[in-house]
Amino acid sequence: MFFKKNKDTVKVKGVFASGEAVSDEIISNALIGDYSEPFLAREADKKEERTLSIKTDKCRKTRIIEGILLYATAPVISLALFFAFAAFCGIYPFGDRMMASYDLLAQIVPYAEHFFDVIEGKSSLFYSFSIAGGADVFGTLAYCMVSPFSFLFFVMGKGNAVYTVPFILAAKIACISLSATFFIRKMFPKINVVVIPVLAVLYTYSGYFHVANTYINWLDFMIYLPLAIWGFR
């Protein structure tokens, strides 16, 4: 016996095992009575499951996109403000003026350059006679280069430490904004999503930032602080 299914009706032709022909009407009635309703119900359930799965995938993709936009907004705004200010003031890479000043120019940049001398074997990692009558340099060198962002000094190469400062500062600004966004979103889940980037940007350019940007190692604490508070919540 074999079955042939059309769009609207189920037509069946076949024979019994004894070889006796079976009428279409008998088999059709039997199938309609015994199998059609469960079959249609199963098909309806499968269609509903497929529709629900498609809607779930769309919702998941929408949430992912919204999350990316939420976490990217504050860093993008903060970087736009930073580079707009640099361009307005003619600061490198938009001009000849340097951003390094105070301790940044007196300690971090020189020690970054000193590290290249250590790599080339021109100076010691622990003691240097280039500082007054000689001084220990390991502690201060480690202190100045402890930030994970310091690797950018090595990317730019020897003699370019002072030109690397704006890029390190920009990277830290983006991370500060991202950290603040994460903290606000997790600690205050019911807050309006429009307010989150605003608060994150305000945190990024807080008074502490304007004081510590001359000694950029201290800016790392602005990245860690929101994460630490959230971790101990």
Side-chain angles (χ1 to χ4, degrees):
M1 182 182 294
F2 66 91
F3 298 83
K4 181 180 180 182
K5 187 175 81 171
N6 292 333
K7 181 177 181 182
D8 300 320
T9 61
V10 178
K11 292 185 177 181
V12 182
K13 294 182 181 295
V15 294
F16 285 124
S18 61
E20 182 181 356
V22 183
S23 67
D24 293 347
E25 183 178 358
I26 293 174
I27 298 176
S28 180
N29 290 338
L31 284 173
I32 291 173
D34 296 338
Y35 300 103
S36 292
E37 290 183 3
F39 174 78
L40 293 175
R42 287 195 300 270
E43 288 297 313
D45 290 341
K46 289 179 181 179
K47 184 177 181 181
E48 185 177 354
E49 290 177 0
R50 287 194 296 268
T51 303
L52 182 61
S53 177
I54 292 172
K55 290 182 178 180
T56 302
D57 290 339
K58 288 183 178 180
C59 291
R60 186 182 297 110
K61 290 178 181 178
T62 301
R63 288 196 298 268
I64 292 174
I65 294 173
E66 289 176 350
I68 292 174
L69 291 175
L70 174 63
Y71 284 98
T73 300
V76 169
I77 294 175
S78 299
L79 288 175
L81 292 173
F82 172 75
F83 285 115
F85 173 78
F88 178 78
C89 295
I91 297 173
Y92 182 84
F94 303 100
D96 298 329
R97 301 178 68 181
M98 294 295 103
M99 189 167 286
S101 60
Y102 297 102
D103 289 338
L104 184 58
L105 185 62
Q107 293 186 41
I108 294 180
V109 170
Y111 272 99
E113 293 292 351
H114 173 76
F115 203 83
F116 285 103
D117 290 337
V118 172
I119 294 175
E120 294 175 356
K122 297 178 180 179
S123 183
S124 171
L125 179 62
F126 300 97
Y127 197 89
S128 175
F129 291 98
S130 300
I131 304 175
D136 168 63
V137 293
F138 180 76
T140 307
L141 180 61
Y143 173 68
C144 291
M145 303 298 291
V146 70
S147 172
F149 296 87
S150 296
F151 79 92
L152 291 174
F153 284 118
F154 306 108
V155 173
M156 295 292 287
K158 184 178 181 180
N160 295 311
V162 70
Y163 300 107
T164 311
V165 171
F167 300 105
I168 293 179
L169 194 55
K172 293 192 178 189
I173 286 172
C175 290
I176 292 170
S177 296
L178 183 61
S179 176
T181 300
F182 175 83
F183 171 79
I184 298 169
R185 185 72 181 91
K186 294 296 183 180
M187 294 295 291
F188 308 99
K190 296 183 179 180
I191 194 172
N192 192 317
V193 294
V194 178
V195 179
I196 295 177
V198 176
L199 295 177
V201 173
L202 290 175
Y203 172 76
T204 301
Y205 288 110
S206 61
Y208 181 83
F209 173 85
H210 290 283
V211 172
N213 75 86
T214 59
Y215 202 88
I216 56 177
N217 282 1
W218 293 107
L219 291 179
D220 290 24
F221 292 109
M222 294 187 70
I223 302 173
Y224 306 143
L225 181 61
L227 301 178
I229 295 175
W230 177 74
F232 286 102
R233 73 193 188 285

